[in-house]
């Protein structure tokens, strides 16, 4: 009985677990098979698509490798062909060893180029059958596939790190006084493995900004990330090798890292390469290549700038500040705050503008700006009303944008004929914010503001003529108004003016002018705030950190940074190098600043050659630099120095008349030079009087000792009186007309 029960239970279990197969079951199985077949076909198609994408990606990478190969090949060939006298004497020349390193890199890149490369095939076709090429080579290059943008999904940990990093960078860009807190946030994000935070932290270690000064930590971070293909890390390594900070100087390696970084869209690398192409520093000069690189960076800068132009950047020249003693900004601000509390309207407006744009030691703070403007607006001040309109139009920092409030303040200001208010009304009518869109009315208000010289009115008129908005498109008129706005240094005006010159719209096409304009735009990017941080570091008596910050900006091509770094070396404040190395580095930086038209830097070049600092003494070279500074840059100091060299016959023909002429020109060029020029001219007059006296027959008798009437002391007295007489005659001469 028990065995029977077991059989029954097993039979029931089999029935429960099995499925009866009938006509419907077969139909379902057939449908399932069709679905499985379609899925297999879809998978095969997806594999084919993936294979095609991979093929295109590899081809694009191959082309990039080939482009890098050709770049280095051209550099090596050009440097081997250039004669020594064609190179800039103030620049470091690439040595044979560095050329060999670059050639090794060439061989490695050449080994990575696949034979099926489209660029390689194009070059072979051009060399073998140039006459049979039925298509423009540039068109063939344009048809090459682009590298697909890689969109990687960040992990939750990296997302958190990105939020921390973005918040810290926002604080730094607003010049928050909590520098240590911001760096600690960046350090946390770097610990999570977020690459941009690691790069930022590496630069902080390099500058000693918020963390200990540790160049080796920065170098190791750059090297680690560069191995992973990080473009900004390659730019950092390029800076180290170009300047010899933490590593031996190697311009060849620097160029390789800059090139890779530029291909990876690093703005630092692109600016550094563009500056070298523009100035001919360690690379053959090439305006088209400089233009291409500067345009890439300028487009990023212009895309991040608001119509107001962004925060103000205070550009302090250390030599001028040291000479004037330096203004105490904190004392001035406290004085204005005291006046503002007592109801002084001008002080309230001034403080409001300082907080609205930042600068002069004042943190950008829209809430404080609104507070001061509101106090001044109660008295009916037109400027205060206009800026309140701008605050409510743009919003930000916890202030919600409000079109109605902005319109009310703009109208109050415009009724008082304020150009800021008129321009604000123009923007609202142009964009239809709070009012019906009306381009004709917008044009009218912009024209009223532009006629009073307001930069935003000029800028928007340029936009309207450039794009044909509400008016007939007219590139000449656009060029006119962009030129007017660019005189105030507005980034967007400079950028669009550069586009006009680069494309020859409304003006003659000029690569040189376009490069200078785009270079100006690039130097006003967010990194230019580093000028203020470097100056604050110098004021805090940390010259080494200030020097490294200025040096990083100098690699980007900023003349102010180059001359400030040179000044710190010249004054002996930097302790990173020995005396001889310090003079050589200062000479190179003064040379780069002089090449950009800075007159005191050109005079310094003359001084270094005159005294033999950082270079062998060469009086003729010193006179050459002084002459450039005098004739082209109108430097009174250089003109005075030329007069002295003519007077003494040092490197120039000895000529008292030319010396006198130089002293007079120096006095005319600068009021500060009048007293030294007067004394030097008096010395010339005294020397001429003594020479004339020595050549007279009476002097011969005196000097021979045959005069029974005069002793030696009498002769000395006559000589002194003659010199004094020459001085009196000169000082009483009539002033030049």
């Amino acid at each position: 009985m028990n065995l029977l029960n077991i059989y029954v239970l097993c039979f029931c279990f089999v029935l429960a677990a099995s499925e009866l197969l009938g006509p419907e079951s077969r139909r379902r199985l057939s449908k399932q098979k069709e679905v499985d077949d379609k899925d297999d076909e879809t998978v095969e198609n997806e594999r084919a698509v993936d294979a095609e994408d991979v093929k295109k990606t590899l081809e694009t990478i191959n082309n990039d490798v080939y482009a890098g190969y050709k770049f280095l090949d051209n550099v090596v060939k050009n440097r081997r062909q250039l004669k020594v006298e064609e190179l800039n004497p103030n620049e470091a020349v690439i040595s044979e060893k560095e050329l060999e390193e670059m050639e090794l890199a060439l061989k490695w890149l050449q080994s990575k180029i696949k034979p099926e490369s489209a660029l390689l095939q194009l070059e072979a076709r051009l060399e073998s059958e140039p006459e049979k090429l039925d298509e423009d080579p540039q068109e063939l290059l344009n048809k090459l596939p682009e590298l697909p943008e890689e969109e990687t999904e960040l992990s939750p940990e990296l997302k958190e790190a990105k939020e921390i990093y973005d918040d810290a960078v926002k604080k730094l860009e607003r010049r928050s006084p909590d520098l240590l807190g911001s760096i600690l946030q960046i350090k946390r994000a770097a610990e999570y493995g977020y690459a941009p935070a690691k790069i930022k932290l590496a630069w902080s270690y390099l500058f000693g900004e918020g963390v200990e000064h540790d160049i080796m930590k920065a170098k190791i971070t750059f090297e680690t990330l560069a191995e992973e293909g990080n473009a900004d890390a390659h730019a950092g390594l390029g800076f180290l090798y170009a300047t010899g900070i933490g590593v031996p100087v190697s311009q060849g390696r620097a160029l390789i890292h800059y090139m890779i970084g530029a291909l990876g869209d690093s703005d630092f690398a692109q600016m550094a390469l563009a500056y070298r192409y523009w100035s001919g520093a360690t690379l053959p000069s090439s305006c088209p290549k400089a233009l291409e690189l500067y345009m890439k960076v300028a487009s990023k800068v212009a895309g991040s700038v608001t119509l107001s132009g962004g925060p103000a950047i205070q550009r302090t020249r250390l030599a001028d500040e040291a000479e004037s003693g330096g203004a105490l900004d904190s004392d001035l601000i406290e004085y204005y705050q005291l006046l503002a509390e007592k109801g002084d309207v001008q002080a309230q407006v001034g403080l409001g503008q300082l907080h609205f744009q930042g600068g002069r030691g004042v943190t950008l703070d829209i809430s404080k700006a609104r507070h001061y403007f509101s106090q001044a607006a109660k008295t009916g001040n037109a400027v205060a009303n206009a800026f309140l309109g701008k605050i409510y139009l743009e919003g930000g920092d916890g202030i919600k944008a409000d079109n109605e409030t902005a319109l009310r303040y703009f109208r109050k200001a415009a009724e008082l004929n304020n150009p800021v208010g008129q321009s604000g009304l123009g923007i609202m009518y142009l964009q239809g914010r709070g009012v019906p869109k009306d381009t004709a009315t917008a044009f009218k208000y912009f024209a009223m503001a532009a006629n009073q010289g307001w930069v935003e009115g000029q800028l928007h008129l340029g936009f309207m003529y450039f794009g044909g908005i509400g008016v007939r498109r007219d590139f000449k008129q656009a060029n006119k108004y962009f030129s007017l706005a660019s005189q105030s240094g507005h980034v967007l005006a400079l950028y669009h003016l550069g586009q006009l010159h680069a494309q020859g719209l409304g003006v003659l096409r000029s690569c040189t002018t376009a490069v200078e304009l785009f270079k100006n735009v690039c130097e006003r990017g967010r990194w230019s705030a580093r000028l203020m941080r470097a100056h604050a570091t110098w004021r805090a008596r940390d010259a080494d950190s200030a020097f490294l910050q200025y040096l990083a900006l100098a690699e980007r091509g900023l003349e102010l940074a180059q001359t400030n770094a040179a000044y710190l070396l010249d004054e002996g404040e930097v302790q990173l190098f020995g005396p001889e190395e310090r003079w050589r580095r200062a000479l190179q930086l003064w040379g780069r600043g002089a090449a950009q038209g800075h007159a005191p830097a050109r005079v310094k070049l003359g001084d270094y050659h005159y005294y033999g600092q950082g270079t062998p003494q060469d009086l003729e070279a010193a006179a050459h630099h002084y002459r450039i500074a005098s004739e082209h840059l109108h430097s009174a100091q250089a003109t005075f120095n030329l007069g002295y060299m003519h007077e003494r016959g040092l490197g120039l023909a000895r000529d008292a008349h030319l010396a006198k002429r130089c002293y007079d020109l120096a006095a005319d060029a600068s009021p500060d030079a009048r007293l030294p020029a007067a004394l030097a001219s008096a010395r010339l007059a005294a020397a001429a009087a003594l020479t004339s006296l020595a050549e007279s027959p009476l002097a011969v008798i005196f000097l021979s000792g045959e005069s029974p009437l005069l002793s030696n002391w009498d002769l000395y007295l006559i000589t002194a009186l003659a010199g004094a007489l020459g001085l009196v005659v000169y000082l009483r001469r009539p002033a030049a007309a």
Side-chain angles (χ1 to χ4, degrees):
M1 184 63 182
N2 291 334
L3 188 60
L4 180 62
N5 290 337
I6 291 172
Y7 285 150
V8 171
L9 287 173
C10 289
F11 181 69
C12 292
F13 178 78
V14 170
L15 287 177
S18 64
E19 182 180 354
L20 296 176
L21 297 178
E24 293 298 325
S25 297
R26 290 195 185 96
R27 190 178 293 114
R28 286 197 301 270
L29 287 173
S30 177
K31 289 182 178 179
Q32 185 63 39
K33 186 177 181 181
E34 291 177 1
V35 171
D36 292 341
D37 291 340
K38 289 182 179 178
D39 289 342
D40 291 340
E41 184 178 354
T42 302
V43 170
E44 291 297 327
N45 291 336
E46 289 178 353
R47 286 177 180 172
V49 172
D50 291 342
E52 186 66 25
D53 288 342
V54 170
K55 183 179 178 182
K56 289 181 179 179
T57 302
L58 291 175
E59 171 66 15
T60 304
I61 293 173
N62 195 31
N63 292 333
D64 286 342
V65 172
Y66 180 74
Y69 163 75
K70 292 301 296 180
F71 172 84
L72 290 177
D73 187 38
N74 289 331
V75 171
V76 172
K77 287 179 180 177
N78 286 328
R79 298 308 278 187
R80 293 233 185 257
Q81 292 173 0
L82 280 176
K83 297 179 180 178
V84 175
E85 59 267 18
E86 294 175 353
L87 299 175
N88 189 335
N90 298 318
E91 295 297 338
V93 180
I94 296 178
S95 65
E96 287 294 323
K97 182 180 178 182
E98 291 169 338
L99 283 174
E100 291 174 2
E101 292 175 354
M102 296 178 76
E103 287 171 342
L104 288 175
L106 279 173
K107 292 178 181 178
W108 179 81
L109 286 171
Q110 194 173 18
S111 68
K112 299 299 180 182
I113 299 172
K114 306 299 180 183
E116 63 272 12
S117 169
L119 283 170
L120 195 60
Q121 293 173 10
L122 175 60
E123 185 181 66
R125 189 176 173 191
L126 284 169
E127 291 178 355
S128 61
E129 300 177 331
E131 70 281 355
K132 295 183 180 180
L133 194 63
D134 55 354
E135 197 169 0
D136 183 12
Q138 186 61 44
E139 293 180 5
L140 291 176
L141 291 174
N142 293 337
K143 291 181 180 179
L144 294 176
E146 294 183 359
L147 187 66
E149 292 187 4
E150 191 175 331
E151 296 183 1
T152 55
E153 183 69 24
L154 295 177
S155 64
E157 190 177 43
L158 286 180
K159 284 183 179 178
E160 182 183 355
K162 184 178 183 302
E163 291 176 0
I164 295 172
Y165 173 75
D166 290 342
D167 182 59
V169 169
K170 191 179 296 184
K171 290 180 181 178
L172 287 176
E173 289 180 350
R174 292 185 57 206
R175 299 187 286 277
S176 171
D178 188 16
L179 176 63
L180 292 177
S182 300
I183 297 299
L184 284 176
Q185 283 184 270
I186 292 172
K187 205 169 185 178
R188 280 180 54 203
E191 290 171 356
Y192 285 141
Y194 189 55
K198 289 182 178 179
I199 293 293
K200 191 78 173 178
L201 187 61
W203 285 106
S204 296
Y205 278 121
L206 186 61
F207 299 148
E209 185 180 48
V211 291
E212 68 275 13
H213 181 70
D214 194 330
I215 295 175
M216 292 310 298
K217 274 189 180 180
K219 177 177 175 288
I220 292 170
T221 302
F222 287 144
E223 289 176 338
T224 303
L225 292 176
E227 290 176 0
E228 300 173 4
N230 187 288
D232 291 319
H234 278 291
L237 284 176
F239 167 73
L240 295 181
Y241 281 111
T243 57
I245 302 298
V247 295
V249 175
S250 175
Q251 296 300 330
R253 292 186 179 184
L255 288 175
I256 292 172
H257 285 296
Y258 280 151
M259 183 208 66
I260 297 173
L263 288 174
D265 205 31
S266 164
D267 51 68
F268 188 104
Q270 288 170 340
M271 282 187 70
L273 267 185
Y275 170 70
R276 288 166 182 254
Y277 276 123
W278 176 74
S279 64
T282 71
L283 275 177
S285 181
S286 174
C287 185
K289 291 179 181 178
L291 177 61
E292 179 185 357
L293 290 165
Y294 272 133
M295 282 184 72
K296 291 180 180 179
V297 183
S299 63
K300 301 176 194 174
V301 175
S304 62
V305 171
T306 63
L307 294 174
S308 298
I313 301 297
Q314 187 178 354
R315 300 170 185 267
T316 306
R317 200 172 292 278
L318 299 185
D320 294 344
E321 181 169 311
E323 186 176 342
S324 63
L328 298 176
D329 291 336
S330 58
D331 294 341
L332 290 173
I333 298 304
E334 290 178 2
Y335 175 69
Y336 274 105
Q337 287 175 342
L338 179 63
L339 291 178
E341 290 173 2
K342 292 183 176 181
D344 188 294
V345 176
Q346 295 303 320
Q348 293 167 348
V349 172
L351 286 173
Q353 290 176 322
L354 279 175
H355 284 291
F356 183 76
Q357 293 183 327
R360 298 194 67 84
V362 177
T363 304
L364 190 149
D365 191 328
I366 303 298
S367 297
K368 285 187 177 180
R370 181 179 63 170
H371 167 71
Y372 286 115
F373 284 139
S374 297
Q375 288 182 338
K378 292 177 182 177
T379 64
N381 184 273
V383 176
N385 278 288
F387 275 92
L388 282 173
K390 288 173 70 68
I391 289 173
Y392 282 105
L393 181 68
E394 298 172 1
D397 285 352
I399 300 175
K400 187 178 179 181
D402 188 337
N403 290 334
E404 292 184 3
T405 305
L407 181 64
R408 186 173 71 252
Y409 282 118
F410 279 144
R411 279 182 173 159
K412 286 182 180 179
E415 288 172 359
L416 297 171
N417 199 32
N418 180 268
V420 182
Q422 292 166 346
S423 177
L425 283 179
I427 293 173
M428 301 198 76
Y429 277 105
L430 181 66
Q431 300 176 355
R433 299 179 62 174
V435 292
K437 191 172 182 179
D438 188 341
T439 55
T441 305
F443 183 87
K444 180 187 75 174
Y445 280 116
F446 288 143
M448 293 168 65
N451 289 336
Q452 296 191 61
W454 178 237
V455 58
E456 290 184 22
Q458 297 164 344
L459 179 68
H460 281 91
L461 282 182
F463 285 148
M464 296 185 78
Y465 279 115
F466 184 81
I469 303 171
V471 293
R472 183 175 61 85
R473 176 174 286 183
D474 189 335
F475 291 123
K476 288 186 177 180
Q477 286 293 320
N479 175 67
K480 170 189 172 182
Y481 286 109
F482 283 143
S483 298
L484 290 171
S486 68
Q487 293 174 10
S488 300
H490 200 291
V491 175
L492 294 178
L494 292 165
Y495 176 74
H496 284 84
L497 199 58
Q499 292 284 4
L500 292 175
H501 282 278
Q503 301 175 41
L505 301 174
V507 291
L508 290 176
R509 187 173 184 178
S510 172
C511 178
T512 304
T513 305
V515 165
E516 290 176 354
L517 288 166
F518 284 130
K519 181 177 182 292
N520 202 331
V521 173
C522 296
E523 292 176 358
R524 295 171 186 272
R526 64 182 185 281
W527 40 83
S528 63
R530 174 67 60 187
L531 288 170
M532 298 179 66
R533 290 199 286 272
H535 176 250
T537 305
W538 177 70
R539 293 285 292 269
R541 300 293 187 270
D542 190 351
D544 287 349
S545 176
F547 168 76
L548 290 171
Q549 294 182 60
Y550 281 129
L551 192 61
L553 292 172
E555 272 295 293
R556 288 181 181 262
L558 275 72
E559 177 271 317
L560 179 64
Q562 292 168 349
T563 52
N564 279 352
Y567 171 81
L568 292 175
L569 291 169
D570 188 80
E571 292 294 309
E573 298 185 24
V574 179
Q575 305 300 318
L576 298 172
F577 318 106
E580 290 301 320
E581 178 70 13
R582 180 167 58 83
W583 290 123
R584 284 196 297 271
R585 287 176 175 269
L587 177 66
Q588 184 190 62
L589 288 167
W590 285 127
R592 292 187 176 185
Q596 299 200 56
H598 185 55
R602 181 66 67 180
V603 174
K604 279 290 185 181
L605 281 183
D607 293 344
Y608 277 46
H609 283 90
Y610 185 91
Y611 294 108
Q613 294 173 329
T615 183
Q617 187 179 36
D618 189 339
L619 296 179
E620 292 183 359
H624 169 72
H625 288 297
Y626 289 146
R627 186 173 288 111
I628 293 175
S630 173
E631 296 176 359
H632 300 288
L633 304 174
H634 311 292
S635 168
Q637 179 68 61
T639 308
F640 184 91
N641 291 353
L642 284 174
Y644 182 81
M645 296 179 78
H646 272 300
E647 180 184 353
R648 298 302 177 98
L650 300 172
L652 295 173
R654 186 164 189 168
D655 191 322
H657 297 289
L658 282 177
K660 176 68 166 59
R661 176 64 177 159
C662 288
Y663 291 145
D664 290 342
L665 288 174
D668 293 338
S670 171
D672 295 336
R674 288 175 183 171
L675 179 59
L679 294 175
S681 296
R683 184 180 61 217
L684 271 178
L690 288 174
T691 303
S692 177
L693 180 62
E695 294 175 352
S696 67
L698 182 61
V700 172
I701 296 175
F702 290 161
L703 294 175
S704 65
E706 297 178 359
S707 172
L709 301 176
L710 297 174
S711 66
N712 288 336
W713 288 109
D714 295 327
L715 293 174
Y716 295 147
L717 181 59
I718 291 174
T719 302
L721 289 174
L725 180 61
L727 177 61
V728 171
V729 169
Y730 176 79
L731 292 178
R732 291 176 61 84
R733 79 193 193 287

